[in-house]
């Protein structure tokens, strides 16, 4: 799994709301990946949304409504991504090398709805290695992340375009 620096990250919608309520900003981010598996660093875009919200103390919430990718906070390091890919290949081998019931037991109707692509490994990897949502503290107007931490989307069933819901809440 590679880090994809040129992945297209687009803010589809952005609303900064007036002071007084707990919701300061809401956005939808579209992430387009051209690779079958990739890690995309979202930290810069999330920092921009926090800055635009003018929230000094609160929480950033990110939700990924997909089942074969997910969110993770960790170091954005090529070697770590290579290591994680090797671990996940041992734990949840690619569907080409391992028969998943998710793939082989699909009815013709399910195949028509979901497509012919076997992706049992993608579901298993997302369940093992990611979260569908993250909440990150905002303090002093910035995301409260450790020195090496980045907020990333880990994709296991690309190429695809994914949409994330982001909300910045006031404390």
């Amino acid at each position: 799994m590679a880090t994809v620096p040129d992945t297209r990250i687009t803010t589809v919608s952005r609303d900064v709301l007036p002071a007084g309520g707990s919701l300061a900003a809401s956005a939808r981010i579209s992430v387009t990946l051209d690779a079958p598996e990739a890690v995309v660093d979202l930290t810069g875009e999330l920092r921009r949304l926090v800055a635009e919200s003018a929230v000094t103390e609160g929480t950033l919430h990110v939700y990924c409504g997909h089942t074969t990718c997910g969110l993770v906070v960790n170091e954005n390091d090529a070697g770590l991504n290579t290591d994680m890919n090797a671990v996940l290949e041992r734990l949840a081998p690619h569907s080409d090398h391992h028969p998943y019931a998710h793939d082989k037991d699909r009815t013709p109707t399910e195949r028509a709805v979901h497509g012919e692509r076997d992706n049992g490994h993608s579901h298993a990897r997302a369940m093992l290695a990611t979260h569908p949502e993250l909440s990150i503290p905002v303090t002093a107007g910035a995301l409260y992340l450790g020195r090496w931490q980045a907020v990333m989307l880990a994709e296991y069933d690309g190429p695809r375009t994914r949409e994330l819901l982001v909300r910045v809440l006031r404390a």
Side-chain angles (χ1 to χ4, degrees), residues 7-26:
T7 300
R8 293 176 303 282
I9 301 174
T10 308
T11 300
V12 176
S13 68
R14 177 183 296 132
D15 296 308
V16 177
L17 301 155
S22 62
L23 183 60
S26 180

Side-chain angles (χ1 to χ4, degrees), residues 1-3 75-84:
M1 179 166 26
T3 300
E75 184 174 358
N76 185 10
D77 176 81
L80 178 59
N81 291 336
T82 299
D83 292 340
M84 192 62 192

